[in-house]
């Protein structure tokens, strides 16, 4: 879609303002609730600048004039950012996230902020304080989460691409459920400056797009070292070989047996196996591999993540910004009443879980233990990547389910991330691609897991495997 | 799980209703039950993973302001719910 629109612009078949207006109209008419804020004025102003450049005969970049959207957990200067939470209902961003600044440099048109689970905590976009998002393929079903609004808007083409975040699957899972392409980059590949932090050792911003080509174009722009993020990776990342040409006959693709042994939707299994067979027909060698500590990954995640959440959520205290329960009589009550009133259910649950895991007497048994098993999970991947170049797995155990169905069963919801979570724990890149639909016409995603910093190989392989 | 929900809620600075306390006590109980499977993993002599980045070494930045918000202090302070004389106002501690 990006190249197609770019061509229309430089050939003057359509103006940037026209394209932006089309996207805004569709977004306004949509009943998916994929947006918390539409930034019509700013979008048209951005588009107008691009049109002026084109009229003046100046060259424009590939992303100039392309309508995109940003998950509401990422800051866009002077635009409201709620993080999907009531506690930031009145918050206006005071600066651009680094990735947003990079996109603006290219001349993108930001048409709005996407709805998401509250502070990125959820797998169905039902924890948002601004209402659930609907799946464009069937509006009674969830789009997945936490970047549910992002995936839904890209799937219904009210946004060409969206920047989401992924801590345990929040880009890949909704991408799979909505039939679009979703990339969670290598940890550190994209700066986290300007993201509302959820779990700092796991969070990554990434791209949801309509094609692998689109996702790669955007990833190449937003990635790179950033002095504002001490965990962003360095020169190696900037020197990586782009546009890798691959020879399928030299490729070794690993299929981790623990993933396929899990009890999941047989239609998903069938579609993913077809994809693996397709790779084999193209000449790749398929290797059965083992990641022995896979069974612990979700437990590791549900200790480390809430622990880091409990620390990151401390800043929402009703003092410097956001909502505040000013009727409180003293400082301690401001904190307790503000947070008690304005945080949602899932956020409180995870804060409590993390606070407990880190509290005196429990730290060794929970957090320290989880960080040790994290090392084991990483080592599993390292050993496997000595033998193969990438892995193919299902992205999710189920396709989209009914809105409300899992709302009262937190653990059942957490299990939807079972295939995506290990990738965040290991800090590796994960790409979800659409590989077919079920008999009830619901999208199925396959996940490609790459070596550290090897997004290029994932793009190159995925190009030959998508439907 | 011997979770003292009142103690944890206090540490987390969260005021919970009685109904919430009961609900969370139960839900957290079953989640902790699930994560307890970690105790089966053999981790003797295994190093903890510190975070997400490979080979991250401590770096030092020069002690110079990056001037990101120079002359914008008031803009930021205005975001606070209670402001007086250009300063963020808070309730008394006691």
């Amino acid at each position: 879609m990006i190249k197609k629109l770019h061509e229309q612009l430089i050939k003057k078949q359509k103006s940037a303002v026209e394209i932006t207006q089309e996207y805004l109209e569709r977004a306004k008419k949509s009943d998916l609730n994929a947006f918390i804020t539409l930034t019509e004025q700013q979008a048209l102003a951005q588009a107008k600048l691009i049109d002026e450049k084109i009229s003046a005969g100046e060259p424009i970049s590939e992303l100039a004039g392309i309508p995109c959207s940003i998950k509401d957990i990422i800051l866009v200067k002077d635009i409201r950012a709620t993080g999907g939470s009531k506690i930031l209902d009145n918050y206006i961003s005071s600066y651009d996230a680094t990735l947003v600044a990079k996109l603006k440099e290219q001349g993108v048109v930001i048409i709005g902020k996407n709805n998401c689970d509250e502070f990125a905590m959820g797998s169905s976009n039902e924890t948002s304080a601004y209402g659930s998002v609907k799946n464009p393929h069937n509006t009674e079903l969830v789009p997945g989460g936490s970047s549910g609004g992002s995936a839904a808007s890209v799937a219904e083409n009210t946004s060409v691409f969206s920047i989401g975040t992924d801590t345990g699957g929040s880009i890949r899972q909704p991408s799979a459920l909505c039939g679009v392409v979703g990339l969670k980059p290598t940890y550190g590949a994209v700066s986290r400056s300007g993201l509302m932090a959820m779990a700092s050792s796991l969070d990554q911003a990434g791209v949801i797009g309509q094609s692998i080509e689109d996702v790669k174009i955007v990833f190449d722009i937003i990635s790179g070292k950033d002095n504002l993020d001490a965990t962003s990776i360095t020169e190696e990342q900037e020197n990586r070989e782009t546009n890798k040409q691959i020879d399928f006959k030299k490729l070794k693709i690993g299929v981790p047996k623990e993933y396929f042994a899990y009890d999941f939707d047989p239609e998903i299994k069938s579609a993913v196996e077809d994809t693996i067979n397709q790779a084999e027909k193209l000449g790749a060698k398929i290797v059965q591999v083992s990641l022995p500590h896979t069974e612990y990954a979700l437990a590791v995640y549900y200790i480390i993540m809430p622990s880091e959440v409990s620390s990151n959520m401390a800043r929402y205290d009703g003092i410097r910004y956001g909502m505040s329960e000013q009727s409180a009589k003293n400082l301690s009550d401001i904190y307790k009443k503000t947070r008690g009133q304005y945080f949602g259910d899932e956020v409180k649950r995870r804060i409590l879980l993390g606070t407990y895991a880190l509290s005196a007497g429990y730290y060794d048994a929970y957090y320290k233990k989880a960080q040790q098993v994290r090392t084991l999970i990483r080592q599993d991947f390292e050993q496997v990547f000595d033998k193969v170049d990438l892995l193919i797995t299902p992205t999710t155990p189920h396709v989209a389910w009914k809105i409300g169905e899992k709302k009262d069963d937190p653990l059942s919801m957490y299990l939807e991330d079972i295939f995506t979570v290990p990738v965040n724990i290991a800090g590796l890149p994960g790409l979800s691609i659409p590989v077919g639909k079920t008999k009830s016409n619901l999208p199925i995603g396959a996940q490609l897991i790459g070596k550290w910093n090897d997004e290029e190989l994932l793009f190159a392989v995925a190009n030959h495997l998508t439907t | 799980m011997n979770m003292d929900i009142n103690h944890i809620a206090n540490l987390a600075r969260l005021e919970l209703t009685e109904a919430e306390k009961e609900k969370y006590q139960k839900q957290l109980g079953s989640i902790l039950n699930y994560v307890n499977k970690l105790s089966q993993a053999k981790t003797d002599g295994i190093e903890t993973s510190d975070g997400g980045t490979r080979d991250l070494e401590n770096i030092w930045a020069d002690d110079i302001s990056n001037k990101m918000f120079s002359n914008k202090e008031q803009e930021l302070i205005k975001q606070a719910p209670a402001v007086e004389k250009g300063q963020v106002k808070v309730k008394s501690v006691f």
Side-chain angles (χ1 to χ4, degrees):
Chain A
M1 182 62 82
I2 291 174
K3 289 205 156 139
K4 177 172 142 193
L5 291 174
H6 180 68
E7 180 113 345
Q8 287 177 350
L9 286 170
I10 54 177
K11 287 199 174 142
K12 302 194 179 166
Q13 289 163 355
K14 279 195 175 161
S15 70
V17 166
E18 275 177 307
I19 293 174
T20 296
Q21 275 169 339
E22 281 171 25
Y23 274 83
L24 280 167
E25 284 316 298
R26 277 204 297 276
K28 282 189 226 167
K29 284 204 188 91
S30 168
D31 68 344
L32 301 183
N33 198 28
F35 289 92
I36 289 178
T37 303
L38 280 177
T39 51
E40 183 162 3
Q41 247 184 16
Q42 293 91 339
L44 290 169
Q46 286 162 351
K48 190 154 167 279
L49 283 175
I50 300 304
D51 282 336
E52 282 166 9
K53 272 190 140 176
I54 297 172
S55 300
E58 286 172 43
I60 57 165
S61 80
E62 200 167 31
L63 283 175
I66 304 296
C68 67
S69 55
I70 311 284
K71 184 176 182 177
D72 212 19
I73 203 166
I74 299 173
L75 302 192
V76 178
K77 189 170 193 293
D78 298 330
I79 306 291
R80 183 180 180 221
T82 66
S85 179
K86 274 271 170 284
I87 213 166
L88 290 180
D89 195 41
N90 60 353
Y91 176 69
I92 308 291
S93 307
S94 49
Y95 64 101
D96 278 330
T98 296
L99 69 91
V100 170
K102 286 182 161 189
L103 287 172
K104 283 184 175 179
E105 249 175 66
Q106 299 297 310
V108 302
V109 170
I110 298 173
I111 63 154
K113 305 299 296 303
N114 284 126
N115 198 347
C116 59
D117 278 306
E118 186 178 0
F119 289 120
M121 300 185 216
S123 306
S124 63
N125 220 130
E126 292 174 290
T127 72
S128 168
Y130 301 91
S132 294
V133 174
K134 298 178 187 158
N135 191 314
H137 296 269
N138 180 332
T139 56
E140 288 179 17
L141 308 182
V142 300
S146 59
S147 312
S150 294
S153 67
V154 169
E156 75 163 349
N157 198 25
T158 48
S159 171
V160 174
F161 68 88
S162 178
I163 305 298
T165 62
D166 188 314
T167 303
S170 289
I171 283 175
R172 291 160 288 156
Q173 186 255 25
S175 297
L177 266 49
C178 290
V180 290
V181 179
L183 171 73
K184 179 206 86 72
T186 301
Y187 182 84
V190 177
S191 170
R192 290 180 300 111
S193 174
L195 266 57
M196 294 176 195
M198 180 190 154
S200 307
S201 77
L202 299 160
D203 289 348
Q204 260 301 274
V207 193
I208 298 179
Q210 298 174 12
S211 67
I212 291 150
E213 179 182 70
D214 282 4
V215 168
K216 176 173 155 57
I217 290 171
V218 179
F219 172 67
D220 284 346
I221 295 299
I222 64 173
S223 52
K225 178 168 173 58
D226 181 20
N227 286 327
L228 294 177
D229 177 357
T231 62
S232 67
I233 55 181
T234 58
E235 299 81 37
E236 283 174 292
Q237 200 274 329
E238 273 145 351
N239 291 333
R240 74 177 191 279
E241 187 194 333
T242 57
N243 294 313
K244 257 188 184 168
Q245 292 305 315
I246 46 149
D247 181 359
F248 262 83
K249 293 188 195 68
K250 295 205 184 117
L251 205 63
K252 289 190 225 102
I253 298 180
V255 174
K257 67 175 194 199
E258 290 83 4
Y259 285 59
F260 287 86
Y262 189 74
D263 182 23
F264 64 100
D265 187 330
E267 286 188 270
I268 296 180
K269 195 171 196 186
S270 173
V272 176
E273 281 171 351
D274 282 347
T275 305
I276 295 168
N277 291 335
Q278 207 190 329
E280 196 171 32
K281 282 203 192 87
L282 290 167
K285 183 153 180 262
I286 308 300
V287 184
Q288 297 294 319
V289 296
S290 173
L291 296 165
H293 295 92
T294 301
E295 62 169 316
Y296 299 118
L298 200 66
V300 165
Y301 180 71
Y302 272 98
I303 290 173
I304 294 177
M305 177 272 291
S307 300
E308 295 181 9
V309 159
S310 70
S311 171
N312 281 324
M313 293 296 118
R315 73 196 67 194
Y316 305 109
D317 57 9
I319 302 294
R320 289 154 301 152
Y321 48 78
M323 303 302 283
S324 180
E325 198 35 70
Q326 288 292 307
S327 69
K329 300 252 173 44
N330 58 46
L331 191 62
S332 177
D333 277 355
I334 288 248
Y335 298 149
K336 291 179 178 175
K337 287 181 191 297
T338 298
R339 293 156 63 81
Q341 189 174 344
Y342 292 106
F343 275 148
D345 190 49
E346 186 63 41
V347 171
K348 285 190 223 179
R349 188 164 27 250
R350 296 191 191 193
I351 290 174
L352 290 167
L353 186 53
T355 306
Y356 177 74
L358 292 174
S359 64
Y362 295 102
Y363 175 86
D364 279 6
Y366 288 113
Y367 191 73
K368 182 172 173 210
K369 183 79 176 178
Q371 290 286 48
Q372 286 177 302
V373 182
R374 183 177 191 168
T375 301
L376 293 173
I377 290 171
R378 280 199 181 149
Q379 287 173 351
D380 280 0
F381 279 104
E382 277 163 23
Q383 282 158 22
V384 151
F385 281 132
D386 272 341
K387 304 188 211 120
V388 300
D389 302 305
L390 71 150
L391 305 171
I392 296 183
T393 78
T395 305
T396 66
H398 302 110
V399 292
W401 60 91
K402 270 206 153 131
I403 293 175
E405 189 183 309
K406 289 187 198 277
K407 223 172 164 197
D408 296 319
D409 189 353
L411 203 49
S412 153
M413 189 77 84
Y414 298 165
L415 286 166
E416 290 300 321
D417 290 331
I418 199 128
F419 298 138
T420 49
V421 149
V423 186
N424 302 81
I425 291 172
L428 301 171
L431 179 69
S432 180
I433 58 173
V435 292
K437 292 201 173 156
T438 62
K439 284 192 217 86
S440 37
N441 226 22
L442 296 174
I444 297 171
Q447 172 177 239
L448 277 63
I449 303 173
K451 292 181 184 178
W452 187 82
N453 202 28
D454 206 13
E455 280 85 346
E456 291 301 312
L457 183 67
L458 300 185
F459 294 137
V461 172
N463 265 323
H464 293 94
L465 297 178
T466 26
T467 46
Chain B
M1 306 317 112
N2 292 325
M3 183 189 296
D4 178 353
I5 191 82
N6 286 308
H7 173 57
I8 300 301
N10 186 43
L11 285 178
R13 297 293 184 262
L14 285 174
E15 183 176 86
L16 303 175
T17 63
E18 286 311 308
E20 280 179 317
K21 286 183 198 173
E22 211 185 300
K23 177 179 72 175
Y24 291 132
Q25 184 109 45
K26 201 164 139 215
Q27 288 176 338
L28 294 174
S30 58
I31 296 168
L32 287 167
N33 222 20
Y34 178 83
V35 302
N36 262 328
K37 66 155 71 185
L38 278 193
S39 58
Q40 296 161 26
K42 293 188 180 56
T43 53
D44 293 329
I46 301 293
E47 293 269 304
T48 55
S49 282
D50 289 327
T53 304
R54 307 281 148 120
D55 309 320
L56 192 66
E57 281 175 27
N58 202 8
I59 55 171
W60 299 95
D62 293 329
D63 188 14
I64 304 168
S65 164
N66 70 3
K67 303 204 183 309
M68 200 164 142
F69 287 103
S70 282
N71 305 316
K72 291 188 190 169
E73 293 86 357
Q74 283 310 307
E75 203 181 293
L76 293 174
I77 286 169
K78 278 205 193 81
Q79 296 229 354
V83 176
E84 200 176 286
K85 296 185 186 154
Q87 298 174 324
V88 177
K89 194 166 74 165
V90 298
K91 305 274 175 179
S92 64
V93 178
F94 304 112

